[in-house]
Amino acid sequence: MAPRGVGVGSGPALATRASTRVRTATKPFEQEVAAVKPRAKKAKVVAKGRKGKAGETVAGRVTKPPPTKAKAKKARQAKKAVTKGPKTVPAVEAESEGEGSELTSLVASPVPARQGTKRKAAEAESDSGSDLSDMGTPELEQLTRAVKRVRGGPAPTSTKAAKKPASKTAPKKPVRKTAVAKRTVTIAQAKAMAKETAKSARAMVDPRRAIINEKPTTRLTVWVCGEGSAGELGLGPRADGIDVKRPRVNALLSPAEVGVVQVAAGGMHAAALTHDNQVLTWGVNDLGALGRDTAWDGAREVDADRTYGEDDQESSADGSGLNPREATPTAVSPDHFPDGTQFAQVVASDSATFALTDDGLVYGWGTFRGDEGVLGFSETVRVQLRPTLIAGVKKIKSLACGTNHVLAVNDKGKVFAWGSSQQGQLGRRVVGRSMAKCLVPREISFGRNKINRVACGAWHSFAIDTANRLWAFGLNTYGQTGIATGAGEASATIDQPTLVSGLRDFGLMDVDGGAHHSLAVDDEGRCLVWGRCDSAQSGINLATIPEDHLVFDTRGRQRFIKKATEIPGLKVAHVAAGTDNSFAITTDGVAYSWGFSGNYQTGQGTDDDVPIATALTNSAVRGQKLNWAGAGGQFSILTAPWGGVTDQVMED
């Protein structure tokens, strides 16, 4: 499709029209040069014939005195300048579009115009959007050489060569018979095209871009557990990959062959960043969360290169019913990103994925959901099926996702948020017809405080400032923000960032949130929990918690913890919260888990609740020094730095 205001033609006839237009435009200037010489000769003949003195009238004309050497030299220089014209700068190529198209036009870059009325006329024509046929002679010379090169003819080396009669020049080669799209481009349009081309080139590879984020480089071994009925475990289309009771090494994410360096768990999908800068996705793709095409006709696919064991053969014969294009970790096409893009982080919400670059840009795909269904990805896009640049945010240092919202903190400690705000999780309350405005990133005010880290629960948000103090906002029905205001009420929300005074004495280093509970780590390695506790979310024996730290329901059962309480016996480096389950990684690399385990998401091998924080000790992770855990909707992921040993694929 041609740019707006640009005509499109095709075929040899159009090329002939173009060359005719060039010759016609050149003619007036050639006549002007030719007219100068006859007048000079005529004046000289009259002067010789009558020998009249200077100023004498001869045949009704006034003779001129013989020019001095200085004047003659000056006249020759002026004549030479007019003939040659000013030099031009490199031309800007304008490629035609469509199948079988080729370069058929070159537009000269801005050229210094001659002085006087011609310069004013040229400027006026340029301002009014004149056609190339009205350009000055130097510009036409540049265009003539370009057209001859494209059509196969010789490119003239000078103005004189271009003005030779047709009989003295080399014969033109016949115009190609292929269908060629031809553009008629005005000077103003050519300048705009050149500016846009340069801008696009800088966006693709800009050596001046500032690198603000360090890319992760340590290869990781990846374990998964929980429910994989939608392919969210990334084990491929194998029947024994649906319910994984204990952590299992994901062989499709082999550290030796794939080299994952960072992982993110969403609601029912996951994403990973590899050492060679690929973004892998797997799981549910109903709303574009994987950023790639996963259409499948339902035919069972078997990996011919895989060696199946006896159990695997039986499982494959039965069939898992999984879509292999969703269940298998696969890279998002790099064609969706500018050349030179380098990724530093990936995060995932329920139905969207976001990737952060090393120079602080954010790309995303998928969509957000609200209370009434799909809310949209942006003001104009309902579901973003392929990666796109998120406008309005730059120089971002880190990202965090909730169920349907995103937080981003930049290099100046400012926080931006977008997505659903129906529970106040964006730090501002927007309802009704203004809901679409929530899909545009907007800064959240923390006063003069600068933020170092952000984190999200399902419908609430956290920020840790430079003084290691915790700020919270969003849904507060179970006191999950850590703020007493309205805690326990059916529709309690904290609509603006509020300092959590109950954690003021803890220097917090890490924080995360689930659906209705939260946990954090302070600078001494203490693991703190608060919020809902009626489904084992706390990991603590509730009988040991003082009653004044608890809120009870009408039947006298513990409903939620209103004051942050330490899980005894743990020195923790990292925490992660799922919907109603949690993980804590100790400083010596041991993973503890607890909470709701109906889909084996705790990795403890049971579908019963795990009320007390319990170490994971099955053979797959025993002796490993784990460094990270992520909890999705009904599945979990664990990682550890790869030591170069053979992957373990056994489970208890």
Side-chain angles (χ1 to χ4, degrees):
M1 181 180 293
R4 185 178 180 181
V6 179
V8 178
S10 62
L14 183 58
T16 303
R17 290 197 299 272
S19 59
T20 301
R21 185 168 62 252
V22 171
R23 289 195 297 272
T24 303
T26 309
K27 186 175 180 181
F29 180 72
E30 293 175 349
Q31 291 176 346
E32 178 185 348
V33 175
V36 174
K37 294 182 179 180
R39 284 200 298 271
K41 290 180 179 179
K42 185 174 181 180
K44 188 175 182 180
V45 169
V46 172
K48 284 184 177 181
R50 296 290 302 272
K51 300 291 183 180
K53 295 182 181 180
E56 181 181 353
T57 301
V58 179
R61 298 184 64 182
V62 179
T63 61
K64 295 182 180 181
T68 63
K69 292 183 178 180
K71 290 183 178 181
K73 183 176 180 180
K74 185 175 182 180
R76 287 195 301 272
Q77 291 177 346
K79 179 180 176 181
K80 184 176 180 181
V82 171
T83 303
K84 286 189 174 182
K87 295 182 179 180
T88 60
V89 296
V92 178
E93 297 183 0
E95 295 186 3
S96 60
E97 301 176 357
E99 184 176 357
S101 65
E102 60 179 292
L103 177 66
T104 58
S105 63
L106 271 167
V107 183
S109 297
V111 182
R114 293 188 297 276
Q115 300 293 328
T117 58
K118 288 188 178 182
R119 177 173 182 178
K120 295 179 180 179
E123 292 175 350
E125 291 170 353
S126 176
D127 293 338
S128 61
S130 62
D131 192 84
L132 287 177
S133 60
D134 298 325
M135 296 171 64
T137 299
E139 295 95 321
L140 289 172
E141 292 175 6
Q142 181 78 2
L143 181 60
T144 302
R145 288 196 294 270
V147 172
K148 288 189 175 183
R149 284 199 299 271
V150 172
R151 297 178 58 193
T157 57
S158 66
T159 304
K160 293 181 179 179
K163 294 181 180 179
K164 287 183 179 180
S167 59
K168 295 183 181 181
T169 58
K172 296 181 179 179
K173 294 185 178 180
V175 178
R176 295 179 180 180
K177 300 299 182 181
T178 56
V180 177
K182 180 78 177 177
R183 290 181 179 178
T184 302
V185 185
T186 65
I187 298 175
Q189 290 169 346
K191 292 179 179 180
M193 290 166 60
K195 184 177 180 180
E196 185 63 27
T197 300
K199 182 179 179 180
S200 299
R202 287 194 300 270
M204 292 178 65
V205 181
D206 189 353
R208 298 171 299 177
R209 65 191 186 102
I211 307 302
I212 63 173
N213 298 317
E214 184 178 352
K215 294 176 53 181
T217 58
T218 303
R219 299 192 186 204
L220 304 171
T221 301
V222 180
W223 292 264
V224 295
C225 61
E227 183 174 335
S229 59
E232 54 264 65
L233 298 183
L235 296 172
R238 45 187 294 184
D240 63 344
I242 293 180
D243 288 325
V244 178
K245 299 180 180 181
R246 298 179 184 273
R248 176 190 298 174
V249 168
N250 189 328
L252 298 182
L253 298 174
S254 166
E257 298 177 4
V258 180
V260 169
V261 295
Q262 191 247 321
V263 190
M268 296 184 71
H269 77 287
L273 181 61
T274 67
H275 75 100
D276 56 354
N277 202 49
Q278 294 188 85
V279 176
L280 308 180
T281 57
W282 62 93
V284 174
N285 194 35
D286 293 348
L287 293 172
L290 302 190
R292 53 185 176 83
D293 182 18
T294 58
W296 180 53
D297 60 6
R300 185 170 62 87
E301 296 187 2
V302 178
D303 188 351
D305 297 328
R306 178 181 165 196
T307 301
Y308 289 91
E310 182 178 351
D311 294 337
D312 287 332
Q313 289 175 352
E314 292 177 357
S315 298
S316 297
D318 295 337
S320 65
L322 293 177
N323 179 344
R325 293 186 175 91
E326 290 185 344
T328 304
T330 305
V332 176
S333 174
D335 295 339
H336 301 303
F337 310 103
D339 293 342
T341 299
Q342 298 292 315
F343 296 107
Q345 184 190 12
V346 290
V347 294
S349 66
D350 257 22
S351 304
T353 307
F354 297 88
L356 173 66
T357 67
D358 61 353
D359 57 346
L361 299 179
V362 180
Y363 290 86
W365 53 94
T367 194
F368 297 106
R369 296 179 64 89
D371 294 343
E372 294 78 25
V374 174
L375 181 62
F377 184 80
S378 67
E379 288 185 295
T380 58
V381 178
R382 182 174 174 82
V383 177
Q384 181 67 42
L385 297 177
R386 301 293 180 266
T388 186
L389 181 67
I390 304 299
V393 289
K394 59 183 180 179
K395 296 184 178 181
I396 299 302
K397 294 288 292 181
S398 66
L399 299 170
C401 278
T403 298
N404 285 291
H405 72 289
V406 187
L407 299 182
V409 57
N410 69 8
D411 60 344
K412 295 182 179 180
K414 296 181 179 181
V415 178
F416 295 82
W418 66 99
S420 173
S421 184
Q422 291 175 308
Q423 291 78 31
Q425 59 267 53
L426 301 188
R428 63 184 190 274
R429 192 68 178 267
V430 182
V431 295
R433 296 181 180 180
S434 301
M435 286 299 298
K437 295 182 179 180
C438 294
L439 302 176
V440 178
R442 179 177 169 183
E443 184 181 347
I444 305 173
S445 176
F446 288 86
R448 297 183 179 181
N449 300 283
K450 294 183 178 180
I451 303 303
N452 272 341
R453 186 184 185 93
V454 288
C456 296
W459 302 286
H460 61 291
S461 304
F462 293 111
I464 300 176
D465 64 19
T466 53
N468 293 336
R469 299 178 303 176
L470 184 67
W471 298 75
F473 44 98
L475 189 65
N476 199 36
T477 52
Y478 288 87
Q480 57 264 50
T481 64
I483 299 170
T485 303
E489 297 178 3
S491 58
T493 59
I494 305 298
D495 294 332
Q496 295 180 347
T498 303
L499 190 64
V500 182
S501 58
L503 291 168
R504 189 187 298 270
D505 297 332
F506 299 90
L508 297 186
M509 307 300 293
D510 192 14
V511 64
D512 201 12
H516 303 107
H517 75 288
S518 305
L519 60 164
V521 179
D522 71 358
D523 51 9
E524 296 181 6
R526 290 178 290 187
C527 184
L528 307 169
V529 296
W530 63 93
R532 191 170 185 174
C533 62
D534 55 5
S535 294
Q537 296 96 329
S538 68
I540 304 173
N541 182 353
L542 298 179
T544 64
I545 301 178
E547 290 190 3
D548 60 348
H549 290 185
L550 296 167
V551 173
F552 297 85
D553 63 17
T554 56
R555 296 183 181 181
R557 295 177 300 187
Q558 299 95 335
R559 188 182 180 197
F560 65 88
I561 303 172
K562 64 180 180 181
K563 185 174 181 180
T565 303
E566 179 184 356
I567 297 179
L570 298 182
K571 188 173 183 180
V572 175
H574 168 72
V575 291
T579 303
D580 287 304
N581 64 300
S582 301
F583 288 87
I585 308 296
T586 65
T587 54
D588 55 359
V590 176
Y592 285 76
S593 67
W594 63 93
F596 180 75
S597 191
N599 304 100
Y600 306 105
Q601 56 264 59
T602 62
Q604 296 290 349
T606 179
D607 58 0
D608 294 328
D609 290 352
V610 179
I612 306 299
T614 305
L616 290 170
T617 58
N618 69 304
S619 60
V621 296
R622 188 182 301 133
Q624 300 287 338
K625 189 170 184 178
L626 304 176
N627 68 340
W628 180 86
Q634 299 174 339
F635 69 101
S636 302
I637 303 175
L638 300 163
T639 67
W642 180 47
V645 299
T646 303
D647 293 344
Q648 300 180 50
V649 296
M650 299 294 294
E651 69 168 49
D652 287 348

